[in-house]
Amino acid sequence: MKAMIARFTVLVTVSAMLAACNLRPLYANGTTGVVAQQLGNVEIEPIAGKAGWLTRNALKDQLEAFEGQQAKYRLIVALEDKIAGFGVRSDDRITRERRTLRARYQLVRLSDSAVVLDATAGSDAGIDVVSSEYATLAAEDTALENLATRVANQIVTRLSLFARNEGAVSPVP
């Protein structure tokens, strides 16, 4: 009985602490919220290469839900895509690769060309190198598609945090 009372007390205490921590949903008020309105005002510059095309499409897919009336910000993304072999057999054949996609991105306010956000995002994936060259190339392409989506997710999350903080300082008209 004492254990049950102790558990109940802990549950009530944790619930009270969680309620008091002032958690706020990032996308509060849906498409009419501050974050959605700010994200709807971002235009994405073209990004070079296949990785750039995949990343830009992933960014557009996520930001399309927040359509704004006119662009107030421009997102500039520079990617670095690397594949490095690190699993080596005794006959010097590579058995494992790591594909890394890193992005440096800047959010530029169009009204005065000021860089308001300068950050990086990145992810990596392991790839098995098998005897079939086609299978290895397919695995590398799949890894690139997944990495582009992950990097785009990181960028949109960071943009959302920026938009929430920017909206708290100066509300969007």
Side-chain angles (χ1 to χ4, degrees), residues 4-60:
M4 183 187 272
I5 292 172
R7 287 184 186 147
F8 181 73
T9 304
V10 168
L11 180 64
V12 169
T13 304
V14 169
S15 297
M17 288 173 49
L18 187 59
C21 76
N22 199 16
L23 285 175
R24 295 175 296 158
L26 186 58
Y27 299 107
N29 300 326
T31 57
T32 61
V34 174
V35 172
Q37 289 179 2
Q38 292 278 14
L39 291 179
N41 296 327
V42 175
E43 72 177 25
I44 308 163
E45 276 201 354
I47 309 168
K50 182 178 182 177
W53 180 79
L54 290 167
T55 304
R56 186 171 190 270
N57 282 343
L59 285 166
K60 282 175 55 177

Side-chain angles (χ1 to χ4, degrees), residues 111-133:
S111 62
D112 59 359
S113 297
V115 176
V116 294
L117 178 65
D118 188 353
T120 59
S123 190
D124 62 353
I127 303 165
D128 286 329
V129 177
V130 294
S131 59
S132 168
E133 197 172 320

